[in-house]
Amino acid sequence: MKALFFTAFALYGVAVILEFAGTAFKKEKLLKTAWYVFLAAFAVHSVFIITRGIAAKRLPLSNQFEFANAFAWGVALMLIVMRPRLKSDWLSVAAMPAALLVMTYAALQPMEIHDLMPALRSAWFGVHIGSAVLSYSAFVLAGCVGLRYLLMARKENADEHALAQMDYISYRLVAFGFLFLTVVILSGAIWAEQAWSSFWTWDPKEVWALITWIIYAVYLHLRLRMKRRGKAMAWFLVIAVPIVFFTFAGVNTLMHGLHTYG
């Protein structure tokens, strides 16, 4: 299984290099090759996840390696779903490195397969953690779109239609991620009551998930009620991404709590 993981990891790396080279030198063939390599990486990555799940006899989402691995897969999946609809490869320049970055973090984690802890043996396991994967992936991709928006907006005679498209796509991604983060928090509260007899324990992971939820709730409020658009909102999304990564990895690394195993 390690061979599958590192093959996918290497292919993601090659795709990123080809994507940057194709963008820098404006070579269409390199960009197409980068995309095909990325699809191959995703296919191998998917086989790895399925294989690990079969070997573990459960969903492969129980520890930091497995969650990071699924997180990277989620970013790649969303890029694959969105790119044909955009009819443009501009999102790949930011999203491919994001998937590779999360895969790099996963590669640094212990890869051993362990049995589920008693607290994790619940019907809420897949709902809670699977929703977190989708939520974080959407937020990271929204940050990538925001970064691309800022880079394009700096140019003279920037394409206003493309900027408007990016602004709208980033909003849709945040709305999608916010919905699933809400599911994460609610399902986690129900699960916590069953496991620890308390809906809320002020565990560091719970607190930072709530902070992340509030941050994106503010974004949606500014977007929907205050009608904010453009650079300010793009900056908001870019700055919010480190919060997502801290909630995902920083809490587990720097803070001890009930979710330390996760």
Side-chain angles (χ1 to χ4, degrees), residues 136-243:
Y136 292 177
S137 299
F139 291 149
V140 168
L141 214 57
C144 292
V145 177
L147 179 60
R148 177 64 176 171
Y149 182 102
L150 293 171
L151 293 174
M152 181 175 284
R154 293 177 59 186
K155 299 179 181 178
E156 294 183 8
N157 302 318
D159 186 340
E160 294 297 330
H161 174 73
L163 290 174
Q165 182 189 44
M166 292 178 196
D167 186 74
Y168 181 68
I169 289 169
S170 60
Y171 155 66
R172 293 292 296 272
L173 283 166
V174 169
F176 179 87
F178 185 79
L179 171 64
F180 277 94
L181 185 57
T182 303
V183 173
V184 170
I185 293 173
L186 293 178
S187 62
I190 297 170
W191 190 2
E193 198 281 330
Q194 294 176 352
W196 302 311
S197 301
S198 176
F199 287 105
W200 191 266
T201 62
W202 295 103
D203 180 74
K205 198 79 165 184
E206 294 175 350
V207 171
W208 277 94
L210 180 61
I211 290 171
T212 304
W213 187 90
I214 291 171
I215 287 170
Y216 284 100
V218 170
Y219 170 89
L220 291 174
H221 173 75
L222 292 173
R223 170 89 191 194
L224 297 174
R225 300 293 296 177
M226 307 297 290
K227 306 299 181 183
R228 298 289 178 85
R229 301 286 191 277
K231 289 184 180 180
M233 301 308 289
W235 272 113
F236 191 110
L237 294 177
V238 172
I239 293 171
V241 168
I243 305 298

Side-chain angles (χ1 to χ4, degrees), residues 11 14-20 29-39 83 96:
L11 288 172
V14 172
V16 168
I17 293 170
L18 291 173
E19 184 69 25
F20 282 163
K29 287 185 179 180
L30 282 177
L31 293 174
K32 285 184 178 180
T33 303
W35 182 241
Y36 291 137
V37 172
F38 187 81
L39 292 177
R83 177 168 153 152
M96 285 185 184

Side-chain angles (χ1 to χ4, degrees), residues 10 52 57 87 91 103 110 130 142 152 156 169 176 178 252:
R52 187 176 177 94
K57 298 180 181 180
K87 298 179 180 179
L91 183 56
M103 278 288 278
M152 181 175 284
E156 294 183 8
I169 289 169
F176 179 87
F178 185 79
N252 293 68

